[in-house]
Amino acid sequence: MSWLSNVSSLKQQVTAQVTQGLLSATKLLESDDDAIFKKVQETHKPQGRQFDNLDGLFSIIGKILLHDNPKSYHDEKSVVHEVPASLINKICCKLACNCTDRDAEETTMTILEKELQNYLWDEKLVIVAAAFAVNYGEFYLLTQLDTPDPVAKNMAFLKQLQFIKEIGSASQNLSGAINELIHAIMTVIKCVLQFSVLDPKYFEAEEQPSAPTEIARATYWTIYSVVTCGSYIAKLVGLRNQNTMAEMTSQLKTLASKVSSMQKVLQVKFSHRKHEIETYKWLINRFNTYQDHTILSDLFDVEGGKTALVVGHDNKKEVDINSLKGSNVWLLISGPDACHAEMKTLTKLYLKLQTKEQNRYHIVWLPIVDEFNEREFSSLQSLMPWYTVRNPKIIKPVAIRYIREVWKFTNETILVPLLPKGHSKSLTPRTLDPLWISGDLLSLFSVHDQKKSLWHQNLQITLDLLLGGIYPEDSSKPASILCLYGGEDIKWIEDFTTMINRVKNSTKISIDLVYVSKSNAIDHYNNAIFDFITAKKVGGYWKADETHSWHFWTRLESIFSWGIRDGKNAKINDTMRDVMSLLSFNGSYKGWAVFGQLGSSHKVVKATGEVVLDVLLRINNWWKAGTNVDSFMLALNQQIEQHLKVQKHHCYHIVLPTTVPRIPDEMMICAICDRKMGKYLMYRCCE
């Protein structure tokens, strides 16, 4: 009697555990998926693909779980040697032993973290499915009442499994729920396996990779479902309580529904991704076989019969792409935060070219944005006399991908020429460096010749190179010295301008002054300087938000960038030494000055404000009265160089924009002492 009492007590304990597990499962199904997913992501640390023949193993699993026995194209003998049997056995044990108080969530996370963290998502799923297939296969064989195998019959008797089919509808419903869940599990795994044939680089390129996210989410719930189903099968040993079976049936059906819904989402995403990849490959082929401007139509997704293009500063005026036939077209590609001064400068050069070439050249602006800001877009668009997209959102994602991956667009503005009768080789993106240096849009069509002429000759930093197309030369006046100066120390500016007036009076040499703002200056902070220049009538000034100042500093940065690409540094190249010296002025608060003559082939004379004042203060010691301008410039340069030789201390730094190409540390040599410069990262906000 005591033995029967113990058996009865044991059954009650198992039933209670099952009921408690069902309550935990219900709470989990209603819980926050995002919170669970964060935990799952932390366990995912793949080390590359570790199992190649997943399809072969999955085919064998299907024959067990779905009782499928189609003609297989997979050689089962080849699969045998690749099956991770030891790992599958470990997970088998975890599934079989989950009939204790441990809930399915804990077991699922344990499997993901301790056994499968180094595997890819599809590998995790197939391995867990294989472990489940082993346990389920044994259960399936033991529940076949008509089996002639006496060993199977006796094992089923010892586990009291012969009662399952005798209970009636409860067991049939449970069996149906198990099969329904198994079918959902196999379907979602099959769906995930499809993603492995897609280009993985596509997902890496996505800012928000939704498909991999959904795969990870589906992986968790699929493994959770396997663990739950496996634990229920294990708890069927000796179980006759129909209410418990009904509760199990309900939970399995709920899980089957959840897994099936995830499979449907994944299938839609797979179809979408497959279509996008096929479209991307088609677009690549279109560009590889490029013939004319009609390719522009393939970049846009426009509905309702609207045109894709409008005139920038008159966005009510629509433009038919076919109207570009026979024209030379540049695609202007920029980020959403393109510099206004950059666009204003480009506008001047574009209008100048249009007048000269009778409107045979056109620009089409394609802004590449992650988040559309209508105010910023409209502000930039209003500056443009050329064609622009109606709205950045109409640019197809595959077109943006092509621009980023093939044309290597980051955030630096580029121009891509579309010739009337071109070929794929002509579709080479151009940085704007040669444009800012030459001031001629047509120079972008001869970029290689430009590079050769710039760096394979004895290039000198003359005033013409620095100011060509920026500062208008008045040919009606005798050539005078032009002095560009800057800095934000108003005391030095007062002293310097006073000194220049004294020099002009004593030498009778004409010196014109132009104050140049730093490229990143905030103009209203410098109002005192502008007011002083205006009040004292000591020349003109260029504000930071004006195109003259922006173009001046950008031209220097462009020459520097080009030199870096060509392997030049300040230690072995005088031009790079001069450019770096000039760029150092842009990053300094202190004063500086540059002297030169337009039309002269001589290099400019340059120095920091302290040096210039000291040299000019001693002008009576080194300048001979009655000599010409050339003699003055030569003597000034000699005095500055002599001063630098005996200078005991210097602090020399350059602030470069992120658009400058990556610079090897060994190429950044101080232009004064030839030592390697240190590198620091600076974040700046000035409002």
Side-chain angles (χ1 to χ4, degrees), residues 271-283 398:
S271 300
H272 179 66
R273 292 295 182 267
K274 185 179 180 182
H275 172 72
E276 284 191 332
I277 291 173
E278 289 172 350
T279 305
Y280 180 60
K281 290 178 179 177
W282 174 83
L283 186 61
V398 290

Side-chain angles (χ1 to χ4, degrees), residues 384-419:
M384 301 175 178
W386 49 75
Y387 304 145
T388 76
V389 291
R390 179 186 297 278
N391 186 308
K393 294 179 181 179
I394 70 171
I395 304 174
K396 293 179 179 178
V398 290
I400 294 175
R401 182 187 175 193
Y402 184 92
I403 289 168
R404 291 191 187 280
E405 293 186 7
V406 179
W407 290 342
K408 307 300 180 184
F409 171 76
T410 51
N411 274 325
E412 180 184 5
T413 303
I414 60 173
L415 279 168
V416 181
L418 300 180
L419 301 179

Side-chain angles (χ1 to χ4, degrees), residues 546-561:
E546 293 177 351
T547 58
H548 292 79
S549 179
W550 179 89
H551 197 170
F552 174 77
W553 294 116
T554 302
R555 178 171 288 178
L556 283 170
E557 290 167 359
S558 296
I559 296 172
F560 176 79
S561 296

Side-chain angles (χ1 to χ4, degrees), residues 116-248:
L116 300 175
Q117 67 171 342
N118 299 139
Y119 290 85
L120 299 175
W121 295 117
D122 54 357
E123 291 175 327
K124 297 179 200 282
L125 287 171
V126 172
I127 290 170
V128 170
F132 176 65
V134 172
N135 288 357
Y136 174 80
E138 177 188 352
F139 167 76
Y140 175 80
L141 291 175
L142 295 181
T143 54
Q144 301 305 301
L145 299 182
D146 55 349
T147 177
D149 190 338
V151 175
K153 283 187 175 183
N154 289 321
M155 285 184 65
F157 175 77
L158 291 175
K159 291 192 173 188
Q160 296 287 284
L161 294 176
Q162 75 274 21
F163 295 109
I164 290 178
K165 292 190 177 181
E166 296 175 3
I167 293 176
S169 61
S171 65
Q172 291 177 3
N173 291 338
L174 179 59
S175 178
I178 291 173
N179 289 332
E180 183 181 341
L181 180 57
I182 287 174
H183 185 272
I185 289 169
M186 294 297 287
T187 304
V188 80
I189 295 175
K190 184 178 180 180
C191 185
V192 170
L193 287 174
Q194 291 180 110
F195 281 89
S196 63
V197 303
L198 299 179
D199 181 5
K201 293 180 181 178
Y202 183 84
F203 303 118
E204 293 169 7
E206 286 187 289
E207 292 294 329
Q208 295 178 333
S210 57
T213 298
E214 294 300 332
I215 288 173
R217 200 182 301 275
T219 298
Y220 172 82
W221 282 108
T222 301
I223 295 177
Y224 177 88
S225 298
V226 165
V227 170
T228 301
C229 190
S231 68
Y232 287 179
I233 289 174
K235 291 168 183 174
L236 286 175
V237 174
L239 181 63
R240 299 188 189 183
N241 189 310
Q242 295 190 39
N243 290 333
T244 301
M245 284 188 176
E247 291 175 359
M248 286 181 172

Side-chain angles (χ1 to χ4, degrees), residues 297-324:
S297 302
D298 300 322
L299 305 181
F300 309 122
D301 187 6
V302 184
E303 298 178 353
K306 293 183 179 180
T307 59
L309 305 180
V310 295
V311 176
H313 55 54
D314 183 10
N315 58 22
K316 303 292 183 183
K317 188 175 180 180
E318 298 181 339
V319 179
D320 188 345
I321 288 176
N322 290 324
S323 67
L324 300 175

